[in-house]
Amino acid sequence: MTRWLDRRSVPLLLGLLAGLLAVAAGLLAGGDAAERAGLAARWTARAGLPLFLAAFLASTLVRRWPGPATRAVLRRRRQWGLGFALAHTIHLVALGINIIVYAPGRTWQSLIGGGLAYTILYLMALTSTDGWQRRLGKWWRRLHRFGIYYIWFIFTASYAGRAFGDDPDKRIVGIAFGSIMIAALALRLWPQRSSTNRR
């Protein structure tokens, strides 16, 4: 398992596979073209979430549960982020088709918020190299820290909107995934006990 997690290609392949499988599932499950497009857009967003959480929690997992598997995830954190970017690019295509062809009329707030999230995501992906880290210096860390929290916020706000909506099915999804996002943030921010306290 650890050797598998430590391969550079694994997160990228998982991102591609997750996105394509979500599209295929949406196309098979929908009753008509509009429903299929909507399901593909929704399910591709959820498919990339585990890869985002792997990048979001990589250092936290090592601090709290140090071991070969968590260290492997941390070593490949950039690849997990790139895998998420790949999966979410598939989501962007599916979402674009759904909005343009079947469900126009999105609010300007959602378009600006989502558009900024994608801009930051691609800036993070393009600068995910040692060379760019050296060139940007302290700004590299600021970009990636702000970016990962902003993407967390967009995910959480989206699920919160569903959790407090009128549709019972969407409400269940919003509560479930919103709870996962809040738990992930709490785990990341929860103060680590000192070695003295642990003893």
Side-chain angles (χ1 to χ4, degrees), residues 59-66 187-195 197-198:
S59 58
T60 302
L61 295 175
V62 169
R63 287 197 305 271
R64 296 193 174 277
W65 300 287
L187 181 62
R188 180 174 168 124
L189 298 181
W190 196 268
Q192 180 79 348
R193 291 182 302 170
S194 68
S195 59
N197 290 338
R198 285 197 297 270

Side-chain angles (χ1 to χ4, degrees), residues 11-35:
L12 298 173
L13 291 175
L14 287 177
L16 178 62
L17 187 61
L20 294 178
L21 285 177
V23 170
L27 295 178
L28 290 173
D32 56 27
E35 186 181 10

